[in-house]
Amino acid sequence: MDEALRSLTERIRSEAGASAEYDRLLAAADLDELAAVLTAPGQPLWARELVAFRLGVAGDRRAFEALVLLLNHRDPQRCASAAFALARLGDPRTARAAAALATNELRVAYALHPVRLLVELRAPEAVPALITTLERRLRPHDPYRRVALACVEGLGALGDVRARPVLNEALAHPALAEAAVHALARLPKDEA
């Protein structure tokens, strides 16, 4: 966690412009004080992100909604920080939210971190969501190859035989073929 917090705080420090509020939120030990920032009007995005991250890694479920919003943000660094905190939050709603974000075609450009989070969580929602997302990425000229590759790699890591058909389809796509071969090799052998 130290590396993730360090990376987050360095990025946010420049956004905060060396404000006293930044220092206060970084040093605050009272979770209620931090949670109040999430509902206070007029708080800057950097403050909400810092507080949500700190609450998330502390296991405080009041951070859930803010972290899910950040998981679907257009800034990949915010998505990565939110995914890290959500993985540690321990909220049972996390996998369902990540699956909804990963499979939302209107937001597919931001699906990379939800896909990776699903793999890390290894929740029941993970395999169906990754299969659905990958099937959609196998269309001709799909621009979201990084999302497709994350699905292929994730399905291999999860090792669920339900992924075999879509991974076999991925073999026909040059950008995914090598990863699909490795993913298929990680699946249990069919009992015939």
Side-chain angles (χ1 to χ4, degrees):
M1 179 179 70
D2 292 334
E3 178 59 28
L5 180 60
R6 185 192 60 73
S7 175
L8 173 81
T9 55
E10 284 179 7
R11 178 173 49 80
I12 288 180
R13 181 180 296 121
S14 64
E15 286 182 48
S19 74
E21 181 69 359
Y22 167 82
D23 292 331
R24 184 184 72 77
L25 292 175
L26 189 60
D30 180 7
L31 297 182
D32 290 333
E33 177 185 349
L34 291 173
V37 173
L38 293 177
T39 56
Q43 294 296 317
L45 181 58
W46 65 261
R48 292 183 192 279
E49 182 183 5
L50 177 60
V51 165
F53 181 90
R54 293 201 53 215
L55 290 169
V57 296
D60 189 317
R61 292 186 181 171
R62 292 176 287 186
F64 176 77
E65 288 83 5
L67 289 171
V68 169
L69 288 172
L70 291 165
L71 181 63
N72 197 32
H73 197 274
R74 67 182 174 274
D75 180 352
Q77 293 176 313
R78 284 196 160 83
C79 298
S81 294
F84 182 90
L86 281 165
R88 282 135 192 91
L89 180 60
D91 192 304
R93 301 171 292 176
T94 301
R96 190 170 47 249
L101 293 174
T103 58
N104 182 344
E105 275 300 289
L106 298 176
R107 302 289 293 172
V108 69
Y110 311 111
L112 181 63
H113 291 285
V115 164
R116 289 178 178 165
L117 177 59
L118 282 167
V119 175
E120 185 174 353
L121 294 173
R122 303 185 77 80
E125 296 90 343
V127 171
L130 268 61
I131 288 172
T132 297
T133 304
L134 180 56
E135 285 172 341
R136 294 171 180 167
R137 305 287 60 84
L138 296 179
R139 296 180 191 138
H141 312 293
D142 185 85
Y144 304 107
R145 285 292 169 220
R146 290 185 65 211
V147 173
L149 184 59
C151 288
V152 168
E153 292 169 348
L155 288 167
L158 293 170
D160 190 305
V161 295
R162 293 176 291 173
R164 190 176 309 282
V166 74
L167 290 173
N168 280 324
E169 286 181 52
L171 291 170
H173 297 264
L176 304 174
E178 184 178 346
V181 167
H182 293 295
L184 284 163
R186 296 179 77 178
L187 298 184
K189 302 295 179 220
D190 284 333
E191 299 291 323

